[in-house]
Amino acid sequence: MKGDTTTIENGKKNGLNYDASSITVLKGLEAVRRRPAMYIGDVGPRGLHHLVYEVVDNSIDEAMAGFCSNIKVEIEQDNSITVTDNGRGIPVDMHPTQKKSALEVVMTMLHAGGKFDHASYKVSGGLHGVGVSVVNALSEWCQVEVCRDDAKYSQEYKRGIPTGDVKKIGACKDPGTKTTFLADHEIFSKVDFKFDILASRMRELAFLNKGLKIALIDHRVDKKLEFFYKGGLAAFVEYLNENKNVLYSKPIYFQKEKDGTDVEIAIQYNDGYVENLFSYVNNINTIEGGSHLTGFRTALTRSINNYITKNNLVKNGDSAVIGDDSREGLTAVISVKVPDPQFEGQTKTKLGNSETKGIVETITNDYLAEHFAENPSVAKKIAEKVISAARAREAARKAKELTRRKTALDNASLPGKLADCSMTDPESCEIYIVEGDSAGGSAKQGRDRRFQAILPLKGKILNVEKARIDRILSNDEIRALITAMGCGIAEDFDPSQLRYHKVIIMTDADIDGAHIRTLILTFFFRYMKELIEQGRIFIAQPPLYRIQKGKSEQYAYSDEERDRVIAQFGRDGVVVQRYKGLGEMNPEQLWRTTMDPETRTLLQVSLEDAAAADHLFTILMGDAVEPRRDFIQENARYVRNLDI
Ligand code: 0RA
């Protein structure tokens, strides 16, 4: 840029004669706007929130490169989003080949990010890393402000097209980048950001980048959270174990770099039976695992086994400890930063780089050998836990062999209380899991028996968070559920055998109902997670009110809707009935309001953020009473719409 010019020419004159790069830009924008889902996944809430992550990812890259310590994300009144960071600021000088400001290139050209950016680790997996130009293209308007070398620059765009050049608009002191955008209503069905969804991801990012401060501010309601964790993954693991009984108070924590790969791991066992392990590559949750995870698991099992052997901890007759045993009660987070990650798998969340396995394995082996030697009391507790898991596994295997012939979980014998549907093609069939016999009765009478099956469950099912698999399998309600579903469980789980492609949980709209629903969801989350991932689990939405005046009646599903209907009916002579339980509706009403596919609303259960879901389940189902009571009290009003 020349000394005192305030405008960076972009080679386009009067917007009339387009040069080659302008044509590239327009073609790129058009492609993104024509097929937004190809770039951001979908145009529903998930894709919408992804826009924010995309912009934040750029600031995170700057933080990973060591130049940014503060990020602020603001939801404005009109649902526009502002992301501010204190990095070096996006370069604004003339781009050598594109003949326009580097800032404009970054903002308008697909995949331009990497060209002059030498960040050591870059996010580029799955839907991440498509570039801020995609966000720009899908925004009604967007504005960027950059502070570099004491000068402030700005450029604005409409649907991705610059409305003017990059301009110097004044002086400034602290370098950084501020991006504001309003998602395009022409593209997104609903532009309404959920604070909690953004909060989960920002919390996760703050855990994954220790020392980085991320603030989230909602100006619509004046709400603010700040995430900052000096302990990094150690703090993450403490958070995941918050309401569990841990075997030792400080998580085992290490961070080391080898051959350009940065490895950070935290491990803390609790006295439960489930594994909570989250793995990340360049801040992306690798749901499908990959080489880093394999390296970690191999090293963990081997390190524990070495300790057990060295200290003669196994008795005669004990079977050898295997990988599964070291997973019982394990809470761990592993995060690696890899310069050139290769993502594979169906959802592109599986790390393929083969060299990473050895790196993680070596670092973990070395650290654990030393740590166990120096902290024998911790090592001993872990060893004992793992040995007891091995014994339980052996006992369960023997018990299972005995009961196998009794066709305990055999499809051929469906549970007696299941009212099955007459169609058999799973694709068109659905099952309602209903709380209590009386509601179950109404549902049975009200349903369309051709494709709707009803399974009434009695009272509260077993809390699977507090029991080992053998006890879970001996619980009648859970067995009825497993048998009805047809897809087995644990090692025998096979989602292709599912007998109904919609599984709908229908409980009362009160605290008890919420509790039972959570118990059922916890079971699915721990033992049939894939069904949630496949979007097969739903929550029925029975009405909260029936509003009647004379011969007309209407149902309301929220307090707001009730008030609207009352206003519409006119206040005089309006009768409002509040439904406390499903049992208060007759079969016909239940069908019309909650079960008829033509008119009902179902809430699809999603696992958008597995760590947050896990934490929530622990709060709701774990041992600690206080946090659960607080949570239920805080959320009593919302709990019926809990989207876990
Ligand atoms: C490349 C080079 C430089 C900064 C950035 C990228 C950068 C990009 C973003 C996106 C959001 N916030 C950002 N902050 C920085 C700086 C190169 C230099 O100054 O030498």
Side-chain angles (χ1 to χ4, degrees):
M1 212 184 96
K2 293 228 176 62
D4 56 359
T5 37
T6 52
T7 293
I8 295 166
E9 293 295 336
N10 68 3
K12 179 180 72 184
K13 302 226 164 48
N14 309 324
L16 288 174
N17 32 7
Y18 294 107
D19 64 6
S21 80
S22 304
I23 290 166
T24 314
V25 165
L26 288 176
K27 277 196 175 145
L29 290 179
E30 218 178 281
V32 174
R33 290 181 63 84
R34 202 168 341 107
R35 294 224 168 85
M38 256 188 58
Y39 297 86
I40 53 154
D42 62 47
V43 290
R46 184 197 293 242
L48 179 72
H49 289 79
H50 193 89
L51 299 181
V52 184
Y53 307 155
E54 196 58 52
V55 177
V56 171
D57 276 350
N58 291 297
S59 303
I60 295 279
D61 283 344
E62 186 70 356
M64 282 203 278
F67 297 104
C68 165
S69 59
N70 256 296
I71 299 174
K72 185 165 69 176
V73 179
E74 293 166 276
I75 313 171
E76 312 288 354
Q77 294 278 2
D78 62 351
N79 270 296
S80 63
I81 296 282
T82 303
V83 178
T84 314
D85 72 49
N86 67 345
R88 290 166 295 177
I90 301 178
V92 291
D93 46 351
M94 187 70 82
H95 190 279
T97 53
Q98 299 295 339
K99 303 251 176 0
K100 50 187 163 195
S101 165
L103 175 61
E104 179 170 336
V105 174
V106 169
M107 293 305 297
T108 58
M109 298 191 70
L110 286 182
H111 308 295
K115 299 244 169 77
F116 25 22
D117 183 321
H118 303 292
S120 35
Y121 307 114
K122 263 209 92 54
V123 165
S124 56
L127 297 170
H128 288 265
V130 292
V132 70
S133 62
V134 167
V135 178
N136 193 11
L138 299 176
S139 294
E140 256 171 67
W141 56 262
C142 176
Q143 197 225 352
V144 205
E145 269 179 39
V146 169
C147 175
R148 272 178 80 92
D149 306 325
D150 303 324
K152 190 181 270 185
Y153 303 85
S154 162
Q155 189 172 35
E156 288 169 33
Y157 318 83
K158 284 214 174 347
R159 303 205 155 93
I161 301 170
T163 58
D165 294 335
V166 174
K167 290 193 184 76
K168 200 179 204 168
I169 56 166
C172 59
K173 274 218 309 287
D174 305 313
T177 304
K178 175 167 133 182
T179 310
T180 305
F181 66 92
L182 176 66
D184 195 343
H185 291 79
E186 283 179 8
I187 305 273
F188 296 93
S189 42
K190 206 169 155 203
V191 179
D192 179 21
F193 287 96
K194 294 267 182 286
F195 186 85
D196 291 347
I197 292 181
L198 294 179
S200 292
R201 177 63 181 156
M202 297 311 127
R203 180 186 297 109
E204 187 180 40
L205 283 170
F207 279 134
L208 291 167
N209 297 277
K210 69 174 168 188
L212 173 64
K213 194 179 279 176
I214 307 180
L216 176 63
I217 303 165
D218 190 341
H219 293 294
R220 301 168 303 183
V221 289
D222 206 15
K223 201 154 127 186
K224 176 173 178 174
L225 283 180
E226 222 174 66
F227 305 108
F228 171 67
Y229 302 103
K230 262 199 268 185
L233 296 192
F236 198 165
V237 160
E238 281 172 349
Y239 170 81
L240 291 170
N241 267 342
E242 194 170 286
N243 303 296
K244 292 175 183 162
N245 301 316
V246 295
L247 297 195
Y248 47 94
S249 63
K250 241 178 86 196
I252 300 171
Y253 174 78
F254 49 101
Q255 175 170 28
K256 208 170 174 229
E257 202 236 82
K258 189 175 187 297
D259 302 336
T261 295
D262 185 82
V263 178
E264 189 185 359
I265 294 177
I267 306 165
Q268 189 183 43
Y269 279 86
N270 60 58
D271 70 352
Y273 305 108
V274 289
E275 177 193 51
N276 289 311
L277 190 147
F278 298 99
S279 68
Y280 297 84
V281 173
N282 297 3
N283 295 322
I284 298 166
N285 188 192
T286 35
I287 299 163
E288 298 174 275
S291 52
H292 56 321
L293 193 58
T294 311
F296 170 70
R297 286 198 193 287
T298 309
L300 179 68
T301 308
R302 163 188 279 201
S303 304
I304 298 172
N305 248 328
N306 281 348
Y307 186 84
I308 290 173
T309 317
K310 252 198 211 148
N311 295 277
N312 292 316
L313 296 177
V314 284
K315 307 242 160 45
N316 282 343
D318 272 341
S319 55
V321 164
I322 62 166
D324 280 351
D325 305 326
S326 61
R327 295 155 77 154
E328 245 192 49
L330 168 70
T331 299
V333 181
I334 148 168
S335 164
V336 298
K337 309 252 166 88
V338 182
D340 183 24
Q342 304 299 315
F343 289 101
E344 305 170 345
Q346 255 187 350
T347 54
K348 291 265 176 280
T349 57
K350 179 177 179 181
L351 184 68
N353 303 46
S354 56
E355 72 281 4
T356 312
K357 175 179 182 287
I359 295 174
V360 175
E361 199 174 329
T362 307
I363 291 177
T364 307
N365 272 331
D366 290 354
Y367 186 85
L368 288 182
E370 196 183 310
H371 189 86
F372 287 166
E374 285 170 8
N375 299 273
S377 73
V378 170
K380 222 161 148 216
K381 279 181 187 148
I382 296 176
E384 278 163 8
K385 168 92 182 161
V386 172
I387 292 168
S388 111
R391 288 183 192 138
R393 174 173 51 79
E394 188 57 21
R397 189 184 61 77
K398 285 183 182 149
K400 219 167 158 191
E401 239 160 47
L402 284 176
T403 54
R404 186 154 269 163
R405 282 202 200 88
K406 295 186 196 159
T407 62
L409 295 171
D410 188 351
N411 270 350
S413 53
L414 286 167
K417 50 196 190 165
L418 172 74
D420 209 359
C421 50
S422 57
M423 286 157 76
T424 53
D425 159 33
E427 181 114 31
S428 22
C429 295
E430 43 189 58
I431 182 168
Y432 275 82
I433 301 165
V434 187
E435 154 195 12
D437 284 335
S438 83
S442 289
K444 280 181 192 175
Q445 287 175 51
R447 68 176 172 150
D448 184 331
R449 61 178 60 243
R450 287 172 303 174
F451 67 95
Q452 291 179 318
I454 310 292
L455 180 71
L457 290 184
K458 227 192 238 117
K460 305 215 161 151
I461 71 165
L462 179 77
N463 181 353
V464 300
E465 202 74 352
K466 290 187 191 162
R468 256 197 194 119
I469 184 90
D470 48 344
R471 238 190 90 212
I472 293 170
L473 288 177
S474 63
N475 178 272
D476 284 343
E477 301 301 300
I478 289 187
R479 278 161 62 126
L481 181 57
I482 299 169
T483 317
M485 306 260 294
C487 56
I489 186 179
E491 331 58 299
D492 302 326
F493 179 65
D494 178 3
S496 72
Q497 296 298 306
L498 184 66
R499 300 179 62 243
Y500 316 91
H501 278 189
K502 280 205 176 80
V503 177
I504 303 159
I505 304 168
M506 185 159 74
T507 57
D508 288 341
D510 58 7
I511 290 287
D512 268 355
H515 192 207
I516 290 164
R517 186 179 58 212
T518 309
L519 286 164
I520 299 171
L521 277 174
T522 308
F523 169 73
F524 286 140
F525 180 70
R526 294 294 182 211
Y527 292 99
M528 298 185 179
K529 203 179 204 163
E530 233 174 293
L531 299 187
I532 304 184
E533 282 160 2
Q534 291 175 354
R536 302 233 182 275
I537 313 286
F538 299 85
I539 294 168
Q541 300 286 285
L544 285 180
Y545 302 99
R546 175 170 171 269
I547 301 124
Q548 188 206 346
K549 182 175 179 176
K551 283 215 174 83
S552 31
E553 62 167 15
Q554 219 163 303
Y555 298 92
Y557 296 80
S558 66
D559 290 0
E560 293 77 37
E561 195 177 355
R562 171 201 60 193
D563 296 342
R564 229 180 306 127
V565 175
I566 294 175
Q568 174 200 322
F569 276 6
R571 266 159 221 289
D572 295 337
V574 173
V575 182
V576 178
Q577 178 190 1
R578 181 183 160 76
Y579 288 123
K580 288 188 207 73
L582 297 165
E584 294 171 37
M585 271 181 275
N586 65 36
E588 201 275 330
Q589 285 172 323
L590 192 59
W591 162 257
R592 206 147 30 92
T593 58
T594 318
M595 297 179 72
D596 178 0
E598 297 284 319
T599 52
R600 72 182 175 196
T601 318
L602 294 180
L603 194 64
Q604 189 172 40
V605 178
S606 71
L607 275 186
E608 203 49 70
D609 174 1
D614 183 87
H615 189 243
L616 189 55
F617 280 115
T618 315
I619 288 187
L620 290 170
M621 297 288 97
D623 296 307
V625 177
E626 281 280 304
R628 174 165 61 239
R629 205 187 47 214
D630 293 350
F631 178 88
I632 290 180
Q633 274 171 4
E634 265 173 45
N635 293 281
R637 270 188 59 220
Y638 310 103
V639 92
R640 62 181 250 106
N641 280 326
L642 197 63
D643 191 355
I644 296 171

